[in-house]
Structures are given as structure tokens and as C-alpha cells.
Amino acid sequence: MQLTFSNSGTKAGVVFALLATLVLSPLPVYAQQDDDTAAEEASSTETPKPEGDTSENGRPEIPAFAAKDQADPNWSMPGKTSALTRFSELDQITPENAKDLQVAFTFSLGVNRGQEAVPLVVDGTLYVVTSYPNHLYALDLTKPGAPLKWSYTPQQPLAAQGVACCDVVNRGPTFSDGKVFFNTLNATTVALDAETGKELWRTPLGKIEMGETMTMAPQIAGDKIIVGNSGGEMGVHGWVAALDKETGKLLWKAYNTGPDTDVKIGEKFKPFYDRYKGKDLGVSSWPEGMWKHGGGSGWGWVSYDAELNIVYHGVSNPGPWNASMRPGDNLWTAGIFARDANTGEALWYYQLSPHDWNDYDAVNENMLLDMTWKGKKRKVLVHPDRNGYMYIIDRVNGELLSAEPYAHITTSKGVDLKTGEIKWARDGEPEIGEVVKDLCPAAPGAKDWQPSAYSPKTGLLYLPHNNLCMDHKEVSVGYIAGTPYVGADVWMKPGPGGNRGEFSAWDLAKGKEVWSIKERFPAWSGAVVTAGDVVFYGTMDRWFKAVDARNGKELWKFKTDSGIISQPTTWKGPDGKQYVAVLSGVGGWSGAIVAGNLDPRDGTSALGFVNAMRDLPDYTTAGGTLYAFTLPDNE
Amino acid sequence: MKPITTIGTALALSLLVALPACGEAGNDDQAKTETKTESAPAEKAEAPKEAPKEAPALQVAANQPPAISLVPIAPGGKIPVDEQSEAAKRLDGDPAAIAIGKQLFTAFNCSGCHANGGGGMGPALMDKDWIYGDSMENIAASIREGRPNGMPAFRELVPGDTAYQLAAFIRSLNPDIDKEPAYEQE
């Protein structure tokens, strides 16, 4: 691991940053040396203030509708708030005492596949869901050692495992009104009584025979729960749906490709850009009928603006990956929808990767923040996309405000802020059998699903991400329901500098990176930031880390039993102490080589990820353990 | 942009055309059988007699592939059933069969789940670990019948030699496949 400070005031820091720029990275961002004020010792409690060239942009604030959840000492939903901010007001753990963190308790999840879920805590009970077979465990935090309170395992066919594109993961439950909600791999949403674990309802929503699974964490939107399917690699007909929280009844289901009626595009649809206006574009932007198995699934994060009553969700890549087979923009894939939470009707749409040719799903988190942009108050949506740009979009009207590169990009040459269009760096489709080399970012993107966190104290977005490029060859593919619809051989490799991952802090007002920690493997865990100015994240080589939110200085780390690809959370226990919890258990797409015991001699394994991860088995074995940490009693 | 037709091999295209028909026929038959069973249980006994007429896909089963065990052990130290059909023996290691099998492996989207043998959604097929056996008949059975943890049953798509051609290709990925470590005796 190497750490670079762009704002370090020490001579060594400057030299190191310059060295890093010259030797390790083609990105100029490490050399930015704009102020000395933030170069305090780690013990300083002063917060760097955004200053300099873009004074018109204010530090983003967490919207008022999220204030109550933000202040909650519990962690009751995956994103902490429905704005997906992942900021907790707890401040017992600080840069000064983080070094004393200790294990409080552990719990074996009993499943050795990738654990991407989020441990939730509500009033003395911890809820955690495992990868397939999706056990849900409730632990009693009021008793010593946090014993098991109840557990629940859904009935589902073994065969569901075969159609999960990227390990049999689950990204967590969510909690509301005394109920725990989660999705099971066989595309079913389940609600349990949080006190007893009794099943209240279960609603099957998709068919594994058609390649549909569900891995995403549901989002509560008032009296509804919003879910979506996975299967962008299986040629599914992607959708997002709302269920009644009380009964599980399907209230609306909006498809992400096809005729306007299926997509719920009607009178309310007012996209900012004209190219999204027209009848049935979800049909006409595809070759004859291909939208029917064109992917566009809804497996990512959903956010909810309770004041506007709008749901925001991304849409996955189009299928097949072979882009030559589907001339056109392939709407409404690889974009973001704003929908009326009551009816599912589309309000606006913005496409991040038209005619996607690199598997750039647009399903990463849409974080909802309020900020002054060029002197004007705006309700915005922040979206670090797989295509490598940090998008800031007006979430009321869908207007693109900013799209700055946060990673190494060769597939495009920027985004035109006037038209909102990405400038792809290629002309036409590749020849048959041609291996197109060095496409960056690779298929999992500059950043995949691993969610970022935002601190209103520092104005920084904490961004776990990837540094991967790929070689890509299109191969022919025919659609056979329930089998992969990919049509590409991919070989991924480390990006410039050789570090495959990175954990960085991004100044949203200035649109640039402030500090960055290089990681050996893709930084595939989520991030958490606290009012104590401590950021937590985990690595695939088994470190769980606490770093200083202001300058990225490492404060503490702990070696877990298996690599970390889950979402850490922080909460106040019944004893009044602040805890941090995380799941170990390597796997997911990036860790498939270990979780699925794949053969490293074939670089195209796991859709090409194995080519970049051949050495992962030297650093971690499979596992699955919940860890909770806290400070010693005397602190 | 190229027209779509140039992308698929002739093989893949013929598959695409054939598939929906196959699927529909299968579903219809199923539907018919089901209705019958539900509405008139008395007719149950007669169903097998009629089945071949109505469901041509079932005739593959009538060919009766040879008996094959999944494991090398049997009680009493006996050797488990391990019959290899004529087709299996003929096509194992046959370069022409391997070449066709390689094309089928892509055309049936096996490669989507097993990559080029290293695995992904499904297990690696080029390594020495076999859950359901590594003989031609074992592999052909995996392909025809599917396997519980998510290997689809390709029965209708792999009539005649097809399953064996795929099996020959898969076995060719690992040249050491039949090499057993020698049994040491004092």
C-alpha cells in the first residue's frame, strides 16, 4: 500500500507525491498541491475548508429529509439515510483513539462465498444476511457476546446459484417499522418480523429459468419498498418494482427497456435533454426486438427523496456485451431514472453510457445532496459512474452539472456539459475477432457497486474504487433463455501504477481528488465516515482500516480471516458505546477466483476478472465472519 | 456498423432459429400431459404409451444411454457401473469431434458460465476437480440432465453425438485427465 497526500505540507510529502506521480501514476491529480492549511498533524481537529478557484460552489449538505436518519445512533438501512450518505454523527471513535480499537465480538456466517452485505443495527439487535442460501441472522446486542436471537433461511432452489453472474452475493437487508426486508437469490422479496424472525410475506418477482436473480438491497420509500432484478449478463428484461411494505403486494413494476407503457414513460416524463423525447425509444433504439432480452436490470442502489417523493435508480448494462450486435443507443440501459414513488412513472432520465460497449452499468449509488452550484442552490445527485466520471446532476430536472474524471480513462475523452453526451474514444465497431487492447476502465468500471460515503464536515466523498483496464474481444452469441448472453472474451489487468484498487477522497465542490490510498486489489468494500472524522473500509487482502477523514492518514488496521468486500457500518450499542461492524468473506465478481475456486490458467474466467486476480489466492482464502469493534472500556 | 447476420456463425444462427420451435413444442407437450393428469387420473396408466408419439424430444431418452455411476466407490469393494457407449469411445480424443465440440461450447453459451474452461458462474472444467465424474458418459450426463447447483439440462439441444462432441472438447482441455496417481504398495 502506498499513501499519497496531495495536501501534505512536509517536504517528504511533496517529494513522495511527486515521485508517486512520476513513477506510479499517469494521473496528474497526485501532484496537486493547492494549500498547506490541511497539512496539520493527524491530531488536529481542524477541518480543511474548500477554497480556491471554484468559490462559487459551496460545500454540499445532507438534505433535510435525511436529518432524522443521519442523527439516529442506529444504522437501520444500507445507506444510513435514504439519500445514501453513509455518514454517522457518532464521534466516540476519533483519529486520536482509533488505534485502540478492539474486537468486541465475532460471528461465523456459515457460508464461504462473497459477503457483500451490510450489517444493520436497530435498538439492540444486529441483522445480517449472508450470500446464498441467504441466511438472515439476528444477534442480541443486549447480552454478553451478542448471542443469536433468531435466524431464518428462505426456501429456494439450489439451481439459483447457476444463474448469478458474479458470485451468489447479497447486498443486505433493510429495516422499517419493526420489519426486516431482503431479497433472495431466486428473485423473491421477503419480509420478516424483526422481533421474532417470523415470515410476514414473500413475493416472488422473477424467474431463475429466465436468468433473473436478486442481489440488491431494498430501499424503503414511505409505505413502499423498492427492489430490482439482476441478470444483465443473462439477457433478462430488466425492471424496478415497488411493493407494499405491509402486504408485499406488487404496486408497480417499471421495465427498463421496451415500449413506453412498459417503461412507465408518459405525460410526467420531462427529460432535460431532447434526445430522450420521442415515442417508444426503448424499442426503436435497438435492432428489431432485441430490447426483449437487452438486460437493463435494476440490481444497484436506489435512493429516495422523501420531500420530492422521487425514487432514483440506475439501469444496468445492455445485453449482450457484444455491442456490434445492437446498433443504437439501447435505451434505457446504462442510465439513471427519476420516478414518481407512488406510481413508478418516469420523471426524467439521463444516459451515462449510450450504446455501452464496456459493461458500464449505471447502477452505482445516486447520493442525494444539496449544494450551491455556480452561485445557485441546487438539489443534486452525485453519481461516481463505472465509466470513470463523477457526475453531479440536478435531481429535480435531470440536468448535468459536472462530470469530472476520477480515474484513468481511455474509452472516452470527456463529457460535453452542454449536450450531456459522453465523447467515446473510438470510431465504429471492432472487426470480428479483433482484440481491442487497453480499454480503461475495465468492465467492472472505475468503480463498481461498492458504495461511497460523504462527510458534511469535510465536504469530501470517500470513494473505494478500481484501477483496472482490459483487452476485449467480441464473439458471436445467440440468446438462449437462462444462459449467459455476453458474447465477449475479456482479459482484465491492473491499470497504470499497478495498484488494482484505490481509496480516495474527492472534493465535490472543487471537482478533484484530495488524497488517495493505493490498494493492491480493487477496493471492493463500501465506505463509512463519522462525525469523529474517521473513515472505515476493508480490503481484499484482509485489512479492515480506519483512516483520518481529513488527510487519509492510516490510524488503525486489523487483519480479518478473509478478504473484505462488504459494507461497514457504525452504531451505538445498548451499552452506549460506538461500534463498527464489517463482514469478511472474499468473493463477488472480483474475488470469484477464490470463492468459486476458478482456474487461473484461463484469464477469461469470471468474465475476465481472473486475469487480473491470479495472485488473490496468495492473500486470502474464502470465509465469512461478522466482526464488531469498539474502544476499550476505559476510553 | 455491421449487420447482425455476419456476427453469428451459421451454427449459432441455425440454433437461434431452431430454439424457439423446440421450446414451444416442449411446453405444449408438457401442458397437454399436465392437463391430462389433472383432469383424468384414470388415464395415467396409458400416458407412457402415448408419450413418444406426442413428445419427440423424449425419444432421446429411449436411446437409453449406458449406465454410469458418479463415484469410484461401491459397497463391498466392488467396481461401480462404468459403461461407455460406442459413441463415447469413438469420439473421445477425436480431433474432429473436439473441433465441433469447441464450436458448440460457444454456440450453447456454455462459455458464458464456464469461460474457456476456467469457470465463472459454473465451475472450472479444465482442472482436475470433477464433482460429477470425468468420463465421456459422466460429462455427457451432466450436459443432458443438468446438475443441481445450477447446471441447466441441455437434453433437448444435444441429441445424437452432440453431448459426446461437447464432452470430447471438455476432456481435451485437460490432457492429464485420465492419469491417476499410482497406488503405492509395500
Side-chain angles (χ1 to χ4, degrees), chain A residues 326-403:
Chain A
R326 42 173 174 79
D329 277 351
N330 311 131
L331 292 164
W332 306 89
T333 65
I336 298 171
F337 268 117
R339 295 185 182 277
D340 181 322
N342 287 346
T343 60
E345 286 165 287
L347 303 175
W348 59 257
Y349 171 87
Y350 174 74
Q351 193 172 37
L352 297 101
S353 295
H355 186 64
D356 165 50
W357 49 295
N358 298 296
D359 187 35
Y360 293 159
D361 305 56
V363 299
N364 290 354
E365 67 276 17
N366 295 310
M367 195 185 283
L368 311 183
L369 299 172
D370 294 344
M371 74 188 291
T372 303
W373 185 262
K374 308 254 183 256
K376 228 178 113 188
K377 276 226 171 257
R378 296 267 201 166
K379 291 178 193 293
V380 303
L381 168 164
V382 172
H383 174 99
D385 195 66
R386 273 161 85 138
N387 68 17
Y389 297 96
M390 178 72 67
Y391 288 85
I392 302 181
I393 296 172
D394 183 317
R395 73 174 179 273
V396 179
N397 65 5
E399 178 189 1
L400 177 66
L401 303 179
S402 166

Side-chain angles (χ1 to χ4, degrees), chain B residues 34-43:
Chain B
E34 267 169 26
T35 332
K36 215 179 260 172
T37 335
E38 269 168 36
S39 58
E43 281 175 36

Side-chain angles (χ1 to χ4, degrees), chain A residues 158-159 161-162 164-165 234 287 322 324-325 327 429-430 432 476-480 483-484 489 597-599 601-602 604-606, chain B residues 1-2 4 6-9 16 19 106-109 112-122 124 126-127 129 148-150 154:
Chain A
L158 290 163
Q161 296 168 93
C165 84
M234 310 294 289
N322 182 328
S324 307
M325 285 174 65
E429 311 286 348
I432 290 175
S476 67
V477 63
Y479 176 71
I480 307 175
T483 72
D489 274 344
N597 194 23
L598 306 184
D599 197 311
R601 289 172 295 176
D602 175 9
T604 66
S605 303
Chain B
M1 310 243 175
K2 290 181 223 75
I4 313 160
T6 62
I7 302 298
T9 58
L16 268 177
L19 274 176
T106 308
F108 287 134
N109 297 343
C113 286
H114 294 286
N116 290 298
M121 293 175 230
M126 68 199 289
D127 62 11
D129 298 331
N149 295 310
F154 279 82

Side-chain angles (χ1 to χ4, degrees), chain A residues 178-373:
Chain A
K179 299 182 193 63
V180 183
F181 306 89
F182 69 110
N183 294 318
T184 63
L185 193 63
N186 67 330
T188 298
T189 305
V190 179
L192 306 178
D193 180 310
E195 200 42 46
T196 62
K198 196 177 146 265
E199 184 183 293
L200 299 174
W201 52 258
R202 49 186 281 147
T203 306
L205 290 163
K207 291 192 170 142
I208 58 167
E209 299 88 319
M210 299 301 288
E212 284 179 287
T213 54
M214 279 164 78
T215 58
M216 56 90 75
Q219 171 67 58
I220 305 292
D223 54 0
K224 299 177 192 64
I225 149 168
I226 314 291
V227 295
N229 65 349
S230 304
E233 280 58 54
M234 310 294 289
V236 302
H237 188 198
W239 49 260
V240 165
L243 309 181
D244 183 314
K245 226 164 63 175
E246 289 302 316
T247 63
K249 194 172 161 278
L250 180 66
L251 300 176
W252 54 258
K253 189 171 190 178
Y255 288 92
N256 294 325
T257 65
D260 287 351
T261 44
D262 290 13
V263 185
K264 296 204 175 291
I265 286 178
E267 272 170 20
K268 284 192 185 165
F269 188 55
K270 305 238 159 36
F272 190 83
Y273 302 98
D274 283 345
R275 62 183 172 283
Y276 309 129
K277 295 175 186 160
K279 204 176 152 14
D280 294 333
L281 297 179
V283 171
S284 61
S285 60
W286 294 84
E288 178 73 36
M290 276 184 84
W291 59 268
K292 288 178 189 157
H293 36 77
S297 63
W299 67 273
W301 298 108
V302 178
S303 41
Y304 173 63
D305 185 325
E307 191 194 315
L308 302 173
N309 196 35
I310 297 178
V311 161
Y312 300 91
H313 72 86
V315 180
S316 92
N317 62 290
W321 283 13
N322 182 328
S324 307
M325 285 174 65
R326 42 173 174 79
D329 277 351
N330 311 131
L331 292 164
W332 306 89
T333 65
I336 298 171
F337 268 117
R339 295 185 182 277
D340 181 322
N342 287 346
T343 60
E345 286 165 287
L347 303 175
W348 59 257
Y349 171 87
Y350 174 74
Q351 193 172 37
L352 297 101
S353 295
H355 186 64
D356 165 50
W357 49 295
N358 298 296
D359 187 35
Y360 293 159
D361 305 56
V363 299
N364 290 354
E365 67 276 17
N366 295 310
M367 195 185 283
L368 311 183
L369 299 172
D370 294 344
M371 74 188 291
T372 303
W373 185 262

